[in-house]
Amino acid sequence: MMDSSNHAMNPHNIDDSPAKIYLHSLTMRLLEGAEKLPAHLRDRHVRYLNASQNPDGGYSGRAGGSDLYYTGFALRALAMLQSLDMDRCTRTANFLTQRIQQPASAIDLFSFLVSSVLVTLGGGTDVLAAAPADWRDRVSATLEAHRTPDGGYAKLPNSPSGSTYHTFLIALAYQILERPLPNLDQAITFILSRRRDDGGFVEIAPMRRSGANPTAAAIGFLETASAITPEIRTSVVDFFAGLVSEFEGGYRANDRIPTADLLSTFTVVWSLLQMNGGDRIDLEAVRSYVLSLEAKAGGFQGGLWDNAVDVEYTFYGLGTLAALAGR
């Protein structure tokens, strides 16, 4: 529903169907936490995100040029801050409409679907309103072209082996389509095959040591499939707890990297909270780390090693602060 005075999105009307429960849970929990953040902090980042929109309605990364991936992160950040408005969403809808017929990777396709939902909720044009009646069938066929012989999904069609991260993304894409993931048992077996003795999960089969982000993706997938066992939960919580950077306060991508980063910090914090592992988080240390990456004019850097901001890391920064505030 739209607010009659300023057309700001009312996030409490987001669809609560079982098929969208993971994305809905993520959105609502971050939104509720973001409401507890100081108004001046929220306003600063709304201004940054609004200023980041390109004339064609999309958003770009550091390389320049509007991009589906970064557009999705910008919209998700604005939605978290309850700051999607009709004019901005209409402009973004125009950008998305121009991308409908272009070939897309699994990431771009997921970003397109998420962005299309958000611009409609924010009062923009329904990007898929004029699509053929069988557009869900067509999207499903495109997603299945990314299926790999090992039961997972890959970034690109006809790949020889699957990716933990892309299997999770495509599972979420099917949720947006309100369709079950085909051959779910095979996908579960694939994800479990990426588990390692250190308690986490890896992105590709040859890797022996787990990483924060593939582990978060694996746990997210298993959650959507109702396939997390108590033993997996315990080992993953222990694995995540071991990734903390004692010096910085954030979390590292893996136990061989000396410095933390904002992506890993967000995924670890969110995952620990989802698995009732919040008592393993030093809330103040993580919050201090995240705030150290905030630019005065808005936006977040990727880590203490970074010297620029972008909309993706801004989502991770706001998302981490919101998750901690909700806690």
Side-chain angles (χ1 to χ4, degrees):
M1 299 295 293
M2 306 304 303
D3 183 285
S4 60
S5 61
N6 61 12
H7 301 294
M9 184 182 73
N10 177 357
H12 298 288
N13 285 331
I14 293 174
D15 185 4
D16 194 18
S17 65
K20 296 180 182 177
I21 192 64
Y22 185 91
L23 289 174
H24 176 76
S25 175
L26 173 62
T27 301
M28 292 304 299
R29 290 195 180 193
L30 295 184
L31 185 149
E32 290 166 0
E35 289 180 330
K36 301 176 182 178
L37 299 177
H40 64 83
L41 183 147
R42 299 196 307 267
D43 293 343
R44 179 162 59 247
H45 295 292
V46 169
R47 289 193 298 270
Y48 163 75
L49 291 163
N50 286 344
S52 298
Q53 188 172 30
N54 296 321
D56 64 3
Y59 295 79
S60 55
R62 302 186 190 189
S66 292
D67 180 278
L68 286 170
Y69 178 77
Y70 291 102
T71 297
F73 276 107
L75 293 176
R76 291 168 70 188
L78 286 167
M80 188 195 319
L81 297 170
Q82 301 186 53
S83 294
L84 287 176
D85 60 69
M86 181 179 291
D87 176 66
R88 198 162 304 283
C89 287
T90 297
R91 290 162 57 193
T92 305
N94 292 334
F95 164 71
L96 295 173
T97 300
Q98 299 302 314
R99 296 298 183 100
I100 288 180
Q101 300 298 329
Q102 295 185 12
S105 66
I107 295 176
D108 283 344
L109 186 52
F110 170 76
S111 299
F112 175 85
L113 290 171
V114 170
S115 297
S116 298
V117 170
L118 289 175
V119 297
T120 302
L121 287 171
T125 306
D126 184 349
V127 178
L128 295 167
D134 65 343
W135 70 267
R136 283 184 173 82
D137 294 332
R138 299 186 184 197
V139 173
S140 296
T142 300
L143 294 174
E144 285 308 296
H146 293 75
R147 193 95 191 207
T148 51
D150 53 17
Y153 291 86
K155 178 179 180 179
L156 299 173
N158 304 313
S159 297
S161 61
S163 148
T164 302
Y165 173 65
H166 290 91
T167 301
F168 174 51
L169 279 190
I170 287 182
L172 294 185
Y174 271 107
Q175 290 187 340
I176 297 172
L177 295 175
E178 299 181 336
R179 294 188 172 186
L181 184 75
N183 301 307
L184 177 60
D185 288 345
Q186 291 182 14
I188 292 173
T189 298
F190 164 78
I191 290 292
L192 292 176
S193 74
R194 296 296 167 87
R195 192 180 180 204
R196 296 295 181 261
D197 292 341
D198 57 15
F201 292 75
V202 297
E203 172 63 11
I204 57 176
M207 299 178 71
R208 307 316 307 165
R209 301 177 71 87
S210 302
N213 301 315
T215 300
I219 290 301
F221 175 88
L222 293 174
E223 183 180 342
T224 67
S226 300
I228 299 180
T229 66
E231 190 271 332
I232 289 176
R233 188 182 304 274
T234 298
S235 65
V236 166
V237 167
D238 288 342
F239 169 73
F240 278 143
L243 295 180
V244 67
S245 170
E246 299 291 349
F247 171 70
E248 297 166 293
Y251 290 89
R252 300 169 293 155
N254 59 60
D255 62 7
R256 290 152 293 172
I257 294 177
T259 59
D261 69 88
L262 202 46
L263 165 58
S264 301
T265 298
F266 171 72
T267 58
V268 169
V269 167
W270 170 254
S271 300
L272 283 172
L273 292 175
Q274 285 293 95
M275 294 187 294
N276 298 317
D279 60 333
R280 306 293 293 274
I281 302 171
D282 185 333
L283 303 180
E284 290 307 317
V286 175
R287 184 178 290 109
S288 177
Y289 169 72
V290 174
L291 291 174
S292 73
L293 303 177
E294 182 190 19
K296 292 182 179 179
F300 284 82
Q301 301 166 252
L304 296 177
W305 38 264
D306 202 0
N307 58 8
V309 300
D310 64 40
V311 296
E312 179 184 9
Y313 283 120
T314 299
F315 171 81
Y316 296 140
L318 291 168
T320 306
L321 293 176
L324 295 176
R327 169 70 175 171

